[in-house]
Amino acid sequence: MYAFLLIAGFSLLAAWVLFFFANRDLLLRLWREPTLLRPVVIVESDDWGPGPEADAQALQRIAAILARVRDREHRPAVMTLGVVLGKPDGAAILADNCGHYHRSGLGEARYAPIVGAMRQGCEMGVFALQRHGLEHCWPESLLVRARQDGVLRAWLADPEARSEALPPTLQSRWVDAGTLPSRPLPEAEVRRAVMDEAEVFLTLFGICPPVAVPNTFVWDDAVERAWVQSGVRCVVTCGRQYQARGADGTLAASARRIVNGESGQSGVRYLVRDAYFEPIRGHRAEQVWEAVARRTALGRPTLLETHRESFIDADHGDTALAELERALAGVVERHPDVCFISTERLADAYADRQHALWQRSMRARSVTFLRRLLAEAGLSRPLKLCGLYFVLPMAVRLLAAVTPSAAGRH
């Protein structure tokens, strides 16, 4: 019996050693990812750009809601605006028989109310601008497809058409998706497009945002280098980097896994946006509260992804605004120590390991690390096979029982 137990013990130990060896890179990254001492919540809203004056009114209503919801330092809730600075001028493109690209830019007089609403929200401290492209497509890719696709030409012919309605493959701005599978763009063209975008931002807003959001989370090292050269310090990701569209148009296998606070080869800082709040698709405040609770337990910020379409929809816009306020007010009620800051400020905090947001207790960090292991989808099967899936929850409970609460340290 003793020999059997000894063999079983050694076998279990060997399985654990094998698990840690096989997954050592990911485990190290999860351990090195800083642990937040308090909840951080940011609403990240993409695709704001050229549109009717009603979009400006939607932005003003959003700003008023954000200003009413405050954290304990009396900071208002923040919504980042992933700004698309232009869209295809469909009438001009069609008149040119899709031979050349023409842009309708946010600097045109008819879009002045939208620019004004963005500026006003920034002055109030409730909006923070992010780069989301001169347009939500690569111009040459759009032209190539429009010459062959009647549906796309119909989109170009509609003066009310929005970039959100483009085929997903074309919405990936930073690859050539004129034909599939997609191909990388020439680096010189990428660099020129990034610099053009920076110049337009400076002209319209007097600033060049240091945060970039890759369209559909597709970008490569050439894009990243160009961003950094133009002043980008932070790239918002979905926790993966995608570099291409496959032959069927879907996202090609991701190049790598990303965790909060990691740095790219060019020195840019990554943040992970992996929670969703899209009222137009039925998302409600309860889902936000659950997302914040889960990420807070993992010592991570909650970056809520949402899009312009939820707040401008004629049938669902009012519901979206109501749910936004209910969600944020509920977060403050459930997490009185919540911190509302911009993504830019959060990225700066990740660059400063002495920042007040970080947990320094080794025991508390260990609890968070074990929770991260259990929450990592790719580790679920290996953890079960080696038995750690059933052991780690007990370790978490034991360590958590003797770990001072965050509230007790303030």
Side-chain angles (χ1 to χ4, degrees):
M1 183 64 177
Y2 175 76
F4 172 78
L5 292 175
L6 190 63
I7 292 171
F10 273 116
S11 298
L12 190 59
L13 180 61
W16 292 357
V17 170
L18 181 61
F19 167 81
F20 283 104
F21 181 78
N23 299 282
R24 61 191 181 281
D25 290 342
L26 177 56
L27 299 186
L28 280 173
R29 292 162 74 189
L30 293 176
W31 172 254
R32 290 170 180 165
E33 180 185 0
T35 299
L36 284 169
L37 193 60
R38 54 190 288 199
V40 170
V41 177
I42 307 171
V43 183
E44 297 234 327
S45 186
D46 291 343
D47 299 344
W48 293 94
E53 189 170 346
D55 286 13
Q57 297 165 4
L59 285 167
Q60 290 166 349
R61 295 177 69 188
I62 291 170
I65 289 170
L66 298 170
R68 289 196 291 268
V69 183
R70 305 263 170 169
D71 65 16
R72 69 184 187 190
E73 284 85 17
H74 205 62
R75 291 181 296 241
V78 176
M79 175 183 280
T80 64
L81 302 180
V83 179
V84 182
L85 294 166
K87 70 172 188 175
D89 184 337
I93 291 172
L94 291 174
D96 207 4
N97 200 27
C98 299
H100 298 87
Y101 184 76
H102 302 269
R103 177 184 299 117
S104 176
L106 195 56
E108 296 174 18
R110 55 179 164 162
Y111 302 132
I114 295 174
V115 174
M118 291 178 178
R119 288 174 177 166
Q120 184 181 33
C122 290
E123 292 169 0
M124 294 169 61
V126 298
F127 289 159
L129 306 183
Q130 296 180 341
R131 304 192 202 188
H132 204 43
L134 265 177
E135 47 264 298
H136 213 303
C137 61
W138 187 252
E140 289 303 318
S141 298
L142 178 81
L143 292 177
V144 169
R145 295 278 288 276
R147 292 171 193 142
Q148 310 163 19
D149 189 336
V151 174
L152 189 52
R153 287 197 298 275
W155 180 87
L156 288 169
D158 181 2
E160 303 299 323
R162 295 181 180 266
S163 298
E164 298 94 311
L166 283 171
T169 51
L170 287 181
Q171 290 192 44
S172 294
R173 171 172 172 79
W174 297 113
V175 290
D176 181 358
T179 59
L180 298 173
S182 66
R183 298 175 301 281
L185 296 168
E187 185 161 0
E189 294 184 23
V190 168
R191 188 163 53 248
R192 183 166 57 250
V194 168
M195 295 309 297
D196 288 346
E197 180 183 8
E199 290 177 9
V200 175
F201 261 114
L202 283 171
T203 300
L204 287 179
F205 300 103
I207 62 166
C208 194
V211 180
V213 184
N215 309 77
T216 73
F217 297 115
V218 175
W219 83 101
D220 60 17
D221 291 343
V223 176
E224 195 169 291
R225 284 192 294 270
W227 276 333
V228 171
Q229 289 169 9
S230 69
V232 168
R233 301 196 309 273
C234 171
V235 174
V236 176
T237 79
C238 62
R240 298 277 180 181
Q241 180 186 20
Y242 297 96
Q243 296 189 359
R245 289 275 182 176
D248 61 353
T250 59
L251 294 170
S254 61
R256 56 176 165 153
R257 171 82 158 78
I258 294 172
V259 299
N260 285 297
E262 283 189 323
S263 295
Q265 293 182 354
S266 302
V268 75
R269 188 79 51 182
Y270 298 127
L271 291 179
V272 176
R273 179 208 287 177
D274 59 356
Y276 302 93
F277 175 61
E278 211 68 83
I280 199 172
R281 291 177 172 78
H283 295 178
R284 294 295 178 260
E286 286 78 5
Q287 290 163 275
V288 172
W289 302 334
E290 292 171 4
V292 173
R294 285 196 301 271
R295 283 155 187 80
T296 298
L298 299 176
R300 290 171 172 156
T302 304
L303 275 60
L304 290 164
E305 178 174 344
T306 189
H307 293 83
R308 172 178 68 173
E309 63 177 345
S310 274
F311 301 98
I312 61 172
D313 183 80
D315 297 324
H316 301 91
D318 289 343
T319 299
L321 291 166
E323 285 303 305
L324 174 65
E325 184 161 21
R326 192 166 76 92
L328 292 173
V331 166
V332 174
E333 180 182 349
R334 290 162 174 76
H335 304 275
D337 59 339
V338 67
C339 177
F340 291 139
I341 56 176
S342 68
T343 309
E344 177 185 352
R345 286 192 58 197
L346 180 60
D348 290 342
Y350 271 102
D352 177 10
R353 294 307 172 95
Q354 300 305 310
H355 199 279
L357 277 175
W358 303 129
Q359 173 64 262
R360 293 180 177 82
S361 163
M362 186 64 69
R363 184 178 294 163
R365 288 185 60 213
S366 298
V367 170
T368 301
F369 171 69
L370 296 180
R371 287 174 177 160
R372 287 174 179 173
L373 294 188
L374 291 166
E376 192 71 23
L379 293 179
S380 177
R381 181 175 173 79
L383 283 170
K384 289 176 181 176
L385 289 174
C386 72
L388 283 171
Y389 188 84
F390 310 99
V391 175
L392 292 184
M394 292 185 289
V396 168
R397 285 194 293 271
L398 288 172
L399 283 171
V402 293
T403 300
S405 67
R409 290 189 291 272
H410 289 278

